[in-house]
Amino acid sequence: MRRAFWAGTVGIFLCFGLLAGRAPAQVTRADYERALNLQEKYRGLVDHVPDTPTWIEGTSHFFYRRSTVAAGGEPGQEYIRVDAETGASRPAFDHARLAAALSKAFDAPIKADSLPHLDYHFVDHETALEFTRSNAIWHCDLATWACAKKRDLTPEDDDYDSGDNYDLTPKPINSKSAAKPSPDGKWLAWVDNYNVVIAPKEAAPAAELPRIPGRRPTPPAWNDKQNIVLSEDGSEENYYAADTLVWSPDSRRLAIYRIRPGYNRVVDYIESSPPDQLQPVHSTMIYPKPGDVLPLYQPVLFDVAARRETPIDNSLFPNPYELTPLVWRKDSRGFTFEYNQRGHQLYRVIEVDANTGAARVLIDEPSKTFVNYEPLRQEQFDTGKIYRKDLADGKAIIWASERDGWEHLYLYDGQTGQVKNQITRGEWVVRAVDRVDEEKREIDFEASGMNPGEDPYFVHGYKINFDGTGLTPLSPAPGNHWLRFSDDGKYYLDTYSRIDLPPTMELHRTADASLVRTIETADISRLKAAGWAPPEPFHTPGRDGKTEIWGVIYRPHPFDPAKKYPVIEDIYAGPQGSFVPKSFTTRAEPLTELGFVVVQIDGMGTNNRSRAFHDVAWHNLKDAGFPDRILWHKAVAAKYPWYDISRVGIFGTSSGGQSSMGALLFYPGFYKVAVSNSGCHDNRMDKIWWNEQWMGWPVGPQYSESSNVDNAWRLKGKLMLVVGEMDHNVPPASTFQVVDRLIKAGKDFDLLVVPGGEHGAGGRYGQRRLMDFFVRNLLGQPVPDWNAQAAGKGNEPGN
């Protein structure tokens, strides 16, 4: 599931009424206005915030973006280039001229102090910039100040954005235009009539092969009579996928996937109120769901000289959810791919011998629950556990695994497939691998949970030898760190912060972790003057009595400790990440302006802790960490008399929408009011990859047990559902099936359908309705009569 949770500025509403403690002051229109504008109030009030830096390839230079104050007092930014050797800094480029070039290229006005946030990187010895935009690579010449599209991205590119396309299966391409030349330049290979074809490549001058921006290069001419058909078993229902074809480095062989298509599930949409016409519009989307028949990928090996296929036994990878791209060894002895078995309880690295076609397992990664198969990356909100680094052309392999209960690194013998040694170990987790130095046999990595007494989610940098010795901290300052290493490994940039500490960027030497200089420190004086205050971290043991559960508390504003305040939990419990903020942010919870305490908690079942912590989610998404969350709430209430757990509400979107409704179905003795936006209420109705990852395959009774649809009859308390009719993340039928069951069960609830709305629909209007709902039901107060507004003003809080 894409990260889709409402960071406190969601939209919706509810109905219920409980009073405790002193009678609260009446909520006014002015309070609503202040709450709805709270995020905007703090926007741009932090000066010199350093963004993620980028090292310039092959140099000791780096550049980064920092916040500034633009013309008219609006937030702006500028890009700074720094020489790590000398410390000299200057603008990374002429901002005004780049803005003019981009304005011309994009046919839209762009200001020099508010350049678009793109992944700029220097190329051609710092004489040009390149970046991706709208699934294309753009090139800007810094001498002529001309920007143009270089080429379109394809699904094989790392930066390709699939958007709402959930079917990434390579399609048949029966065309010579997709021909791929052999490394020695003697052959071309392509797919024709669903089969693999090769032909000698005739020499042709470069001038005869024009390149058209955004299109594949025109292939050289050849004589059709020289075509050699290598396969005859390809068909429309079992085709060779041209995009997957790869030549061996010695040009003697090629490998390719043959694909049998799976079930083509189509979801239909009706946009009731399109902006450009009166009549509704129908559209469709391919959207595989749990249990659907998947495409079957089979690797096929061809010997070019012998003009024949070398058979590969598929017994080691019989039921793939996914096979990764085929990658040849540099010496052409074979190729590798990774096998993710359906159900995600077995993950393998497979190597195929080029001479015999024999497949063998290099690494076997089984799990009794699930293998979190997404890549391991330093991304709090969405990360997997897979990391692989082949050394010396596969003679050894660095591999990440949770086999001892924690995410750690292992060194494998690539020839025998045996573990040589465990590199990292302990009750902490590796969060990312930044750099591997094969010559020095050192690894620079990031980890969390190693420092006693510190927030276990805080990430720090470390260095360690391949044999597990020499563990050295690189970023000891308390906080959440991001490290970026120069190409030669001589330097690294350490950017760190906490929710109460603004970001600092430092330049260090890798050899001894010594500080070279501080590059930037953000200034929050204007932010604090505007009334901002950070949330309060809080932790207490969870359901097992020992594992600390961490969260944050946003106090009401203004705050009187002599009063009692109702509590609202902002929930997102998706197992792909952890969601309580750890780094500095100006984000605030608007409901605090209306007299509510707002909290966020990471319960068991979320990511970035131990394997056992994560496994709680398996076959059990309805759990959502609620036993831990409730203990956390009770611990806060025991410390703070003003924290009123007799009045607890909850809201969330997407997976958080599933959980917020689930709170009233499965824990109604504690949660009284819930708002659910765009919820994936039945995991059988949602996208296949996210749901089979956590709920398993085959689809079994565990899906029904966690289903808000099948358990709708349990509803107690007050519920509001919000859905956008054009939600392409979680199709709206998920919410409407809940509505159907609630009606059949005779339950009262509220429903807001947003015409044309996408995932997390509602906008400012929805935010105001959310506030109305909690004001009515947790404060027990009437809300303003919004319909009494004078006609034509158009500036009320819900506008």
Side-chain angles (χ1 to χ4, degrees):
M1 163 157 312
R2 298 175 201 160
R3 179 178 159 230
F5 57 94
W6 253 344
T9 57
V10 274
I12 356 192
F13 90 85
L14 291 125
C15 251
F16 183 82
L18 290 166
L19 291 174
R22 299 183 185 179
Q26 178 65 45
V27 176
T28 67
R29 281 175 175 263
D31 296 325
Y32 273 85
E33 194 70 41
R34 194 171 61 253
L36 287 165
N37 293 323
L38 188 63
Q39 305 286 16
E40 182 64 22
K41 174 184 176 182
Y42 295 143
R43 187 176 71 92
L45 295 184
V46 183
D47 300 315
H48 293 174
V49 178
D51 202 358
T52 304
T54 301
W55 287 94
I56 300 173
E57 185 176 1
T59 73
S60 60
H61 309 153
F62 64 90
F63 71 100
Y64 65 97
R65 185 178 72 234
R66 72 178 180 189
S67 61
T68 63
V69 180
E74 287 296 309
Q77 70 271 321
E78 60 184 351
Y79 290 81
I80 306 297
R81 174 192 177 277
V82 181
D83 186 325
E85 294 284 355
T86 66
S89 66
R90 59 174 173 79
F93 38 72
D94 187 322
H95 291 62
R97 299 189 73 175
L98 180 60
L102 293 175
S103 296
K104 182 177 180 181
F106 300 161
D107 192 25
I110 292 174
K111 297 180 180 179
D113 53 12
S114 55
L115 293 169
H117 292 187
L118 300 168
D119 61 334
Y120 303 107
H121 57 280
F122 284 94
V123 296
D124 301 337
H125 305 289
E126 302 185 53
T127 64
L129 283 174
E130 287 189 352
F131 56 87
T132 58
R133 180 179 186 267
S134 302
N135 269 340
I137 296 177
W138 289 73
H139 182 95
C140 292
D141 189 305
L142 299 183
T144 63
W145 295 103
C147 295
K149 184 189 293 187
K150 184 176 180 180
R151 70 173 180 87
D152 289 319
L153 295 175
T154 69
E156 285 69 48
D157 289 303
D158 291 339
D159 294 331
Y160 181 79
D161 181 4
S162 60
D164 294 325
N165 178 19
Y166 292 89
D167 179 16
L168 300 181
T169 307
K171 300 299 184 286
I173 301 176
N174 293 297
S175 173
K176 294 177 183 178
S177 66
K180 295 184 179 180
S182 60
D184 64 7
K186 295 180 180 179
W187 294 93
L188 288 164
W190 69 99
V191 173
D192 188 26
N193 196 27
Y194 307 105
N195 283 287
V196 179
V197 180
I198 60 172
K201 179 181 178 183
E202 297 179 3
E208 295 180 16
L209 304 174
R211 295 181 67 90
I212 302 174
R215 294 179 57 184
R216 296 178 183 271
T218 304
W222 58 83
N223 187 340
D224 285 349
K225 294 180 179 179
Q226 296 178 299
N227 291 356
I228 301 166
V229 180
L230 293 182
S231 68
E232 296 181 346
D233 55 349
S235 67
E236 186 175 4
E237 298 303 320
N238 199 18
Y239 57 88
Y240 287 88
D243 283 340
T244 71
L245 187 152
V246 285
W247 282 93
S248 63
D250 64 7
S251 302
R252 296 175 56 195
R253 297 175 176 85
L254 58 85
I256 189 173
Y257 279 124
R258 188 176 62 241
I259 299 176
R260 185 186 71 197
Y263 175 60
N264 202 39
R265 181 179 293 278
V266 176
V267 174
D268 290 275
Y269 289 85
I270 299 292
E271 186 175 7
S272 64
S273 310
D276 54 354
Q277 67 180 59
L278 177 64
Q279 299 301 324
V281 174
H282 171 258
S283 60
T284 63
M285 173 178 69
I286 304 299
Y287 191 87
K289 295 183 179 182
D292 284 354
V293 175
L294 290 174
L296 179 64
Y297 286 59
Q298 294 293 299
V300 183
L301 174 64
F302 292 101
D303 185 317
V304 173
R307 312 290 197 267
R308 63 176 175 81
E309 177 187 343
T310 303
I312 301 172
D313 183 359
N314 70 353
S315 60
L316 294 177
F317 44 94
N319 184 25
Y321 175 84
E322 178 186 36
L323 299 182
T324 62
L326 307 169
V327 179
W328 280 94
R329 295 301 192 191
K330 295 176 183 177
D331 64 4
S332 299
R333 70 182 185 275
F335 61 87
T336 66
F337 59 91
E338 295 172 14
Y339 168 61
N340 180 6
Q341 184 165 288
R342 191 161 192 187
H344 310 301
Q345 293 181 299
L346 178 63
Y347 198 96
R348 283 174 169 163
V349 179
I350 305 286
E351 184 178 66
V352 175
D353 185 281
N355 291 312
T356 66
R360 69 185 183 114
V361 177
L362 293 181
I363 297 175
D364 214 34
E365 192 66 44
S367 173
K368 293 181 180 179
T369 54
F370 57 83
V371 176
N372 190 357
Y373 63 87
E374 286 192 274
L376 176 67
R377 53 182 177 252
Q378 218 286 52
E379 168 53 65
Q380 173 187 338
F381 307 110
D382 186 5
T383 181
K385 305 297 182 182
I386 298 300
Y387 174 80
R388 171 185 158 202
K389 173 71 173 179
D390 290 4
L391 309 172
D393 199 21
K395 301 300 189 297
I397 302 171
I398 297 173
W399 179 254
S401 170
E402 292 184 287
R403 63 190 60 175
D404 74 348
W406 305 82
E407 177 78 341
H408 282 301
L409 301 177
Y410 295 78
L411 182 64
Y412 270 80
D413 186 315
Q415 296 175 314
T416 67
Q418 299 298 309
V419 176
K420 298 177 71 173
N421 61 271
Q422 185 171 349
I423 301 171
T424 62
R425 65 176 68 243
E427 293 188 355
W428 47 271
V429 294
V430 172
R431 298 284 292 275
V433 176
D434 293 315
R435 186 172 177 274
V436 175
D437 190 324
E438 293 190 49
E439 183 178 341
K440 293 182 179 179
R441 298 181 65 79
E442 292 178 346
I443 303 170
D444 298 309
F445 69 99
E446 295 173 57
S448 60
M450 199 182 301
N451 300 337
E454 188 181 59
D455 186 327
Y457 294 92
F458 280 173
V459 176
H460 292 271
Y462 300 90
K463 178 168 60 178
I464 197 169
N465 297 320
F466 283 9
D467 63 4
T469 64
L471 179 63
T472 304
L474 300 177
S475 57
N480 202 32
H481 295 252
W482 289 74
L483 274 64
R484 294 292 182 270
F485 288 79
S486 60
D487 284 357
D488 60 7
K490 185 177 179 180
Y491 298 102
Y492 64 90
L493 289 160
D494 176 15
T495 306
Y496 64 94
S497 69
R498 298 189 306 265
I499 56 175
D500 62 341
L501 180 72
T504 291
M505 182 192 293
E506 297 175 344
L507 177 66
H508 291 255
R509 290 187 182 88
T510 306
D512 58 4
S514 61
L515 174 65
V516 178
R517 63 182 61 87
T518 298
I519 303 299
E520 202 78 65
T521 298
D523 180 358
I524 61 171
S525 56
R526 289 197 299 139
L527 180 68
K528 293 173 71 174
W532 175 90
E536 174 189 348
F538 186 87
H539 60 96
T540 192
R543 70 186 78 181
D544 62 2
K546 59 181 181 180
T547 303
E548 292 292 306
I549 304 300
W550 286 72
V552 291
I553 305 167
Y554 296 84
R555 298 190 182 197
H557 181 266
F559 176 70
D560 180 353
K563 292 184 178 180
K564 276 188 170 292
Y565 295 96
V567 178
I568 298 175
E569 182 177 340
D570 177 353
I571 188 171
Y572 189 87
Q576 76 271 22
S578 57
F579 304 96
V580 174
K582 301 299 174 182
S583 296
F584 185 83
T585 173
T586 61
R587 175 184 175 275
E589 290 281 2
L591 286 165
T592 58
E593 295 292 326
L594 301 181
F596 298 101
V597 179
V598 182
V599 302
Q600 285 181 274
I601 310 163
D602 280 323
M604 290 189 185
T606 51
N607 205 342
N608 300 320
R609 298 288 290 276
S610 70
R611 180 75 230 209
F613 193 101
H614 207 186
D615 276 347
V616 169
W618 187 63
H619 283 196
N620 191 26
L621 285 177
K622 75 175 186 297
D623 180 278
F626 279 122
D628 311 300
R629 296 169 186 275
I630 292 170
L631 289 171
W632 190 94
H633 283 290
K634 290 179 177 179
V636 178
K639 181 178 180 180
Y640 296 127
W642 45 263
Y643 194 92
D644 185 1
I645 57 172
S646 70
R647 296 183 290 167
V648 180
I650 187 169
F651 70 87
T653 297
S654 196
S655 172
Q658 178 180 11
S659 299
S660 56
M661 179 177 176
L664 298 189
L665 303 182
F666 304 113
Y667 301 92
F670 188 80
Y671 294 95
K672 310 301 181 184
V673 181
V675 174
S676 170
N677 188 300
S678 308
C680 39
H681 295 290
D682 190 311
N683 300 106
R684 294 166 293 192
M685 291 293 292
D686 195 27
K687 62 195 72 64
I688 187 172
W689 77 265
W690 195 87
N691 295 276
E692 285 194 9
Q693 166 75 95
W694 318 118
M695 293 298 289
W697 177 89
V699 173
Q702 72 273 17
Y703 279 82
S704 177
E705 291 164 4
S706 283
S707 168
N708 289 350
V709 177
D710 290 351
N711 289 283
W713 60 273
R714 300 177 182 272
L715 178 66
K716 294 182 179 179
K718 301 296 181 177
L719 169 68
M720 180 169 178
L721 301 167
V722 180
V723 62
E725 69 174 0
M726 297 301 292
D727 189 338
H728 288 83
N729 187 333
V730 179
S734 184
T735 295
F736 290 128
Q737 289 189 3
V738 166
V739 170
D740 176 64
R741 294 295 183 89
L742 290 171
I743 290 172
K744 290 175 178 176
K747 298 293 183 176
D748 287 339
F749 63 96
D750 290 283
L751 173 66
L752 174 62
V753 179
V754 182
E758 273 285 358
H759 200 58
R764 187 176 173 91
Y765 174 80
Q767 291 175 34
R768 193 262 287 170
R769 296 291 294 267
L770 169 70
M771 294 171 182
D772 283 348
F773 205 44
F774 285 123
V775 166
R776 286 191 185 105
N777 296 293
L778 290 185
L779 288 182
Q781 294 189 13
V783 302
D785 182 358
W786 303 113
N787 290 351
Q789 175 196 348
K793 284 189 176 180
N795 60 356
E796 54 94 14
N799 201 41

